[in-house]
């Protein structure tokens, strides 16, 4: 029988091997979303105060995207993040054909959203968290049946997908409920179900967890992870909740001021601001003294600190901890991704 240490090592090796296999498999996947040197500008007229209390109009050009380029392969689950006004929603509208780029090229599943929108929409699903396609004064199921007819969804496809979303999103109890009577969480699940009825290959989600309570958010996240993992569905999702994005996606693209600022893993994102680490020390009541660490909080013998392990080696931190008397427990974890993102936003603003 293997010792625990050997078993843990074996599991770690197997985990790395599986990750490598998944990465190699992803390398061979075709491109699902291709954004190549895309810029998008808007012309706005705003009132400017003139002499003697009068107002005159002034034309202002606003650049929402500035020469942005990225590719997403089929089967990827990618987070798309940035501060307000960074260009996230504009990108989603360009990918779905609601807007056309000022310059550059956009392609989704090899189709142009600008020139081949009807063909693309048969393969694409789009969900904006603050909008709904449900008929407000009709039961949910009538909206689904309307989509089946208008989109010409085959009976077998419609039934299969309706059964799937009914089970996985738990919408059975609300299928005959009027849309206006649904809670926000119920409406979001019903909208997500409707979006999936035609079996899209790529889905674009703009703030899908906006305003949801903990239970509804958990249902949404688990469902999205499941359809990505089991159905190979390509997903691009935006959200201001970075913890949600880190749990859902394996890759994050960040945009700031219309320009791409980062494209990589969440761990890689953390490395930009240093390897920030939080650790909680439980003692017999005595306050620990640690060099090179920032004290965050402490009460009743539980103290929380922060350290940048890119500046302080782990060995140095552990050596300090081993020399402190009265320690009963130590818990070490990564700094919350929200904190990392906040620091990045502040740095970008100062540039």
């Amino acid at each position: 029988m293997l010792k625990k240490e050997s078993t843990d090592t074996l599991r770690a090796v197997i985990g790395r091997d599986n990750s490598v296999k998944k990465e190699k498999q992803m390398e061979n996947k075709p491109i699902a979303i291709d954004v190549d040197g895309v810029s998008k500008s808007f012309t706005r007229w705003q009132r400017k105060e003139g002499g003697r209390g009068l107002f005159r109009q002034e034309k202002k050009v606003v650049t929402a995207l500035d020469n942005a380029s990225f590719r997403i392969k089929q089967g990827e689950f990618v987070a798309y993040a940035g501060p307000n006004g960074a260009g996230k929603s504009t990108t989603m509208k360009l990918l779905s054909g609601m807007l056309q780029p000022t310059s550059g090229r956009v392609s989704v599943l090899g189709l142009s959203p600008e020139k081949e929108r009807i063909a693309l929409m048969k393969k694409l699903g789009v969900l904006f968290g603050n909008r709904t396609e449900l008929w407000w004064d009709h039961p949910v199921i009538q909206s689904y049946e309307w989509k089946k007819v208008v989109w010409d969804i085959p009976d077998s496809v419609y039934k299969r997908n309706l059964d799937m979303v009914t089970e996985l999103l738990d919408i059975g109890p609300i299928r005959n409920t009027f849309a206006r009577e649904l809670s926000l969480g119920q409406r979001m699940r019903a909208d997500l179900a409707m979006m999936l009825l035609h079996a899209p290959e790529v889905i674009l989600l703009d703030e899908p967890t906006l305003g949801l309570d903990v239970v509804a958010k958990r249902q949404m996240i688990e469902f999205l992870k499941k359809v990505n993992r089991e159905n190979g569905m390509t997903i691009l999702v935006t959200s201001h909740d970075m913890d949600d994005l880190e749990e859902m996606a394996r890759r994050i693209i960040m945009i700031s001021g219309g320009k791409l600022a980062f494209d990589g893993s969440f761990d890689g994102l953390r490395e930009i601001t240093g390897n920030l680490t939080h650790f909680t020390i439980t003692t017999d009541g005595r306050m620990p003294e640690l060099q090179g660490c920032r004290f965050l909080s402490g009460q009743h013998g539980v103290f929380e600190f922060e350290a940048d392990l890119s500046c302080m080696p782990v060995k140095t931190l552990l050596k300090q901890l081993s020399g402190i008397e009265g320690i009963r427990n130590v818990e070490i974890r990564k700094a919350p991704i929200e904190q990392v993102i906040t620091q990045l936003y502040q740095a970008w603003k100062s540039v």
Side-chain angles (χ1 to χ4, degrees):
M1 183 179 293
L2 290 173
K3 295 182 179 179
K4 183 181 185 300
E5 292 80 1
S6 301
T7 304
D8 292 342
T9 302
L10 182 60
R11 286 175 179 168
V13 171
I14 292 173
R16 287 196 298 270
D17 288 345
N18 287 337
S19 297
V20 171
K21 288 179 182 178
K22 289 179 180 178
E23 289 177 2
K24 288 183 177 179
Q25 290 172 354
M26 192 60 68
E27 288 177 0
N28 299 324
K29 292 278 188 178
I31 301 298
I33 296 175
D34 190 357
V35 175
D36 184 13
V38 171
S39 296
K40 179 61 181 177
S41 299
F42 298 93
T43 300
R44 294 178 181 171
W45 291 92
Q46 59 185 23
R47 302 180 73 181
K48 186 175 181 180
E49 188 174 353
R52 299 180 180 179
L54 298 177
F55 289 88
R56 60 187 177 87
Q57 286 190 325
E58 180 183 49
K59 184 169 72 172
K60 182 179 181 181
V61 177
V62 178
T63 301
L65 283 179
D66 187 1
N67 195 32
S69 297
F70 62 86
R71 286 181 169 181
I72 297 174
K73 294 190 175 182
Q74 290 185 19
E76 279 196 273
F77 197 144
V78 180
Y80 193 54
N84 287 329
K88 302 186 299 298
S89 294
T90 298
T91 303
M92 293 295 196
K93 291 175 182 177
L94 288 169
L95 293 174
S96 58
M98 298 179 189
L99 295 174
Q100 284 75 50
T102 304
S103 62
R105 182 180 62 86
V106 177
S107 175
V108 181
L109 296 171
L111 299 171
S112 168
E114 181 179 358
K115 300 177 181 178
E116 303 169 284
R117 189 181 181 194
I118 294 178
L120 175 59
M121 292 311 293
K122 294 180 179 180
K123 300 182 178 182
L124 183 68
V126 184
L127 177 64
F128 289 89
N130 57 350
R131 299 178 185 176
T132 182
E133 287 190 77
L134 300 172
W135 288 2
W136 204 240
D137 292 316
H138 294 269
V140 171
I141 193 63
Q142 286 192 9
S143 294
Y144 293 173
E145 292 171 352
W146 167 84
K147 180 172 182 176
K148 176 184 180 298
V149 173
V150 173
W151 286 62
D152 195 23
I153 303 174
D155 291 342
S156 59
V157 175
Y158 174 77
K159 185 179 185 308
R160 181 183 70 242
N161 290 331
L162 181 60
D163 289 343
M164 178 190 72
V165 296
T166 298
E167 177 184 356
L168 297 180
L169 287 171
D170 190 26
I171 61 171
I174 63 172
R175 287 201 330 190
N176 293 308
T177 302
F178 283 71
R180 67 171 184 267
E181 298 174 354
L182 299 177
S183 68
L184 177 58
Q186 290 173 330
R187 181 181 65 76
M188 288 298 297
R189 284 187 284 127
D191 268 314
L192 181 59
M194 185 170 179
M195 182 192 66
L196 297 172
L197 290 176
H198 65 292
E201 298 176 36
V202 175
I203 60 176
L204 309 175
L205 306 171
D206 193 8
E207 298 285 353
T209 60
L210 183 67
L212 300 186
D213 60 34
V214 175
V215 175
K217 184 183 294 189
R218 174 56 45 197
Q219 288 177 318
M220 178 76 73
I221 290 174
E222 291 302 322
F223 176 78
L224 293 174
K225 290 165 65 176
K226 185 179 181 68
V227 294
N228 169 254
R229 182 178 62 251
E230 297 184 2
N231 299 353
M233 191 174 291
T234 306
I235 302 176
L236 180 64
V237 57
T238 76
S239 177
H240 283 95
D241 193 323
M242 298 305 300
D243 291 328
D244 287 352
L245 291 181
E246 185 175 24
E247 182 176 356
M248 288 188 284
R250 294 183 290 274
R251 171 186 170 194
I252 179 170
I253 298 173
M254 295 203 66
I255 188 169
S256 177
K259 295 183 178 181
L260 258 63
F262 179 83
D263 185 352
S265 67
F266 283 87
D267 286 339
L269 192 60
R270 282 188 166 91
E271 291 175 2
I272 294 178
T273 57
N275 191 3
L276 291 179
T277 302
H278 284 193
F279 54 99
T280 302
I281 302 175
T282 303
T283 72
D284 56 7
R286 284 177 279 184
M287 168 74 175
E289 294 185 6
L290 294 168
Q291 299 296 322
C293 300
R294 187 164 72 95
F295 174 71
L296 299 178
S297 64
Q299 59 179 346
H300 307 304
V302 180
F303 305 92
E304 187 169 4
F305 292 83
E306 178 184 87
D308 185 349
L309 296 186
S310 64
C311 300
M312 175 189 292
V314 176
K315 288 184 179 180
T316 302
L317 176 60
L318 294 178
K319 185 175 181 180
Q320 285 197 70
L321 292 172
S322 64
I324 298 175
E325 296 183 0
I327 286 186
R328 294 176 177 173
N329 187 45
V330 176
E331 179 184 351
I332 301 177
R333 61 193 182 280
K334 295 179 181 178
I337 194 67
E338 291 281 357
Q339 179 183 349
V340 175
I341 299 300
T342 299
Q343 291 185 358
L344 285 175
Y345 287 173
Q346 292 173 345
W348 291 340
K349 285 181 180 179
S350 64
V351 174

